[in-house]
Amino acid sequence: MRLRIGVCGAGSFARSFIPLFQAHPLVEDVALAEVLPERRAEQAARFGIRETYADLDGLCASDVDVIALFTQRHLHGPQALQALRAGKHVYSAVPMGVTIDELRRIVSAVEETGLTYMMGETSYYYPSTVLCRDRFRRGAFGAFVYGEGEYYHDMSHGFYEAYQHSGGAEWKRVAGFPPMLYPSHSVSMILSVTGARMTQVSCLGYEDRLDDGVFGPGNNLWDNPYSNETALFRTSDGGMCRINEFRRVGVSGGRSVRLSVYGTEAAYEEQADGEVWVTRDKRQEDLRPLLKCAPSGHPAREDLPEDLRADFHSGVAPVHPRDRLPDAFRHLPNGHHGSHQFLVDDFCRSCSEGVLAPNHVWAAARYCAPGIVAHESALQEGRLLEVPHLGEPPASARYLEV
């Protein structure tokens, strides 16, 4: 089955993914929906897209097989549900949704329709996650004890410009998005390694002190006062996990998303510019040669804020399974530490073959639900709350070989 893909939203992420969708051997054609007429015309001309629509409604009424959502983060849940109800497979940028009810309804829609839903979680294919997942499956860590997932991205490092680009005149109303409602970069790094889920959480928030009209009661759609949130989780395998989501922090350089995993036999630790493997018998291994992404071979995108360009501009690392990707991708741009091409290939093959990609709907819910509950805990000054389990794939499910 060759796919007709409708891309919804012509912002920064869409511009990185459209060429990959167009080049994939399982894709027949790409259409584009964008609410801003001038942006719609400009990007359609840039990528040679003939079929365009003014909004998601137009895409849903069209004959595309797939809708790929690259819209504002708080819109993904309702839009994914609309697309599924219209009979379309869905690729969604993160997060899956911003309430537990949104997650439940999307899971239910997939179960009822049999359609494919995949969340484009870049951290799943970060080199450190790929390496830790492989070593964990081989038993090198021993039993899981503790993990750390961190997303340190100060608002001044390109976020102001990104929100202004996507949010228009009311951009501050969405820029105050609660950090823990965007948890999947951090949470997925832990859970995709161990295969467990978060079961309980206690979270604290840092009330923002900068008077820029972004965070604080009355300043945003969520009355969110917190620019930084820290959560401690219990995991279903008996371990513990700490997740940091910070938007006001004096950290820069290296990776903004970081992972550490500690087991009974070995541990992986990651900092801004160093990655190390250590074992209980005192062996150490410098992993930088395995995890360093090669240059992409393409010029950096000048349409992006300077602080965001590196995220959209990287090749693959030695640890990546590069040979599984289509040959057509070899000379195309990549990004977010080599993840973009793997995500597109996962999704296209999943839709075409009728199998589950790694970031399927139940995994997406497992990555997003913990943060939603964590934010509720922060609003209650750290009250310990249960994280709901939103289900597992059916026993009959078949999985993509990756």
Side-chain angles (χ1 to χ4, degrees), residues 69 72-82 84-85 92-110 117 119 177 181 221-222 361 364-366 368-369 372 388 390:
L69 298 171
Q72 295 185 78
R73 56 195 68 186
H74 65 290
L75 301 177
H76 296 164
Q79 290 180 338
L81 191 63
Q82 179 183 348
L84 289 166
R85 294 301 184 197
S92 176
V94 303
M96 178 182 182
V98 298
T99 69
I100 296 297
D101 182 61
E102 287 181 359
L103 307 191
R104 288 190 193 279
R105 293 172 68 192
I106 293 170
V107 170
S108 294
V110 170
Y117 173 99
M119 188 174 72
F177 195 71
L181 297 191
L221 295 177
W222 301 269
V361 71
R366 195 165 66 243
C368 291
I372 294 170
L390 301 182

Side-chain angles (χ1 to χ4, degrees), residues 338-352:
S339 65
H340 291 185
Q341 295 185 359
F342 290 97
L343 293 172
V344 168
D345 186 54
D346 279 359
F347 181 69
C348 292
R349 291 170 59 200
S350 175
C351 291
S352 181

Side-chain angles (χ1 to χ4, degrees), residues 231-296:
L232 182 64
F233 292 92
R234 170 66 72 190
T235 55
S236 61
D237 52 9
M240 301 156 290
C241 180
R242 191 260 292 152
I243 298 294
N244 280 346
E245 291 287 338
F246 290 178
R247 306 296 177 261
R248 298 272 197 227
V249 60
V251 172
S252 62
R255 295 186 178 94
S256 60
V257 182
R258 303 175 190 170
L259 166 70
S260 292
V261 178
Y262 300 83
T264 54
E265 298 299 323
Y268 169 81
E269 295 181 340
E270 181 172 21
Q271 294 300 323
D273 292 301
E275 301 88 14
V276 64
W277 174 264
V278 296
T279 66
R280 195 157 57 88
D281 58 3
K282 301 182 180 180
R283 290 181 291 113
Q284 295 188 18
E285 179 185 359
D286 181 358
L287 296 172
R288 284 176 292 184
L290 284 174
L291 303 181
K292 183 177 177 58
C293 288
S296 72

Side-chain angles (χ1 to χ4, degrees), residues 28-214:
E28 178 181 331
D29 197 14
V30 174
L32 178 65
E34 166 59 51
V35 297
L36 299 177
E38 61 280 3
R39 187 180 296 178
R40 181 170 67 247
E42 176 188 0
Q43 299 309 317
R46 172 182 290 189
F47 296 110
I49 295 174
R50 301 180 302 276
E51 185 178 340
T52 64
Y53 297 90
D55 52 27
L56 177 60
D57 291 345
L59 269 186
C60 287
S62 76
D63 63 353
V64 299
D65 307 297
V66 168
I67 292 179
L69 298 171
F70 296 98
T71 53
Q72 295 185 78
R73 56 195 68 186
H74 65 290
L75 301 177
H76 296 164
Q79 290 180 338
L81 191 63
Q82 179 183 348
L84 289 166
R85 294 301 184 197
K88 314 299 184 184
H89 302 295
V90 172
Y91 178 101
S92 176
V94 303
M96 178 182 182
V98 298
T99 69
I100 296 297
D101 182 61
E102 287 181 359
L103 307 191
R104 288 190 193 279
R105 293 172 68 192
I106 293 170
V107 170
S108 294
V110 170
E111 291 173 341
E112 292 166 9
T113 63
L115 293 164
T116 294
Y117 173 99
M118 180 182 132
M119 188 174 72
E121 179 44 66
T122 55
S123 289
Y124 187 89
Y125 282 113
Y126 271 34
S128 55
T129 316
V130 171
L131 180 137
C132 287
R133 191 160 49 239
D134 177 67
R135 293 193 178 189
F136 190 88
R137 287 173 178 171
R138 291 191 281 111
F141 279 97
F144 175 70
V145 175
Y146 173 71
E148 295 179 352
E150 304 165 333
Y151 183 26
Y152 296 149
H153 195 144
D154 191 85
M155 288 292 294
S156 67
H157 298 164
F159 262 0
Y160 283 129
E161 297 93 328
Y163 276 113
Q164 289 165 7
H165 182 76
S166 63
E170 293 294 308
W171 68 272
K172 290 185 180 181
R173 301 288 291 162
V174 295
F177 195 71
M180 275 293 168
L181 297 191
Y182 197 79
S184 61
H185 290 336
S186 303
V187 172
S188 70
M189 296 186 95
I190 307 293
L191 299 188
S192 74
V193 168
T194 67
R197 63 183 182 86
M198 309 295 199
T199 59
Q200 293 179 304
V201 60
S202 174
C203 181
L204 294 175
Y206 171 86
E207 292 194 9
D208 197 58
R209 301 177 185 179
L210 187 62
D211 186 19
D212 63 357
V214 171

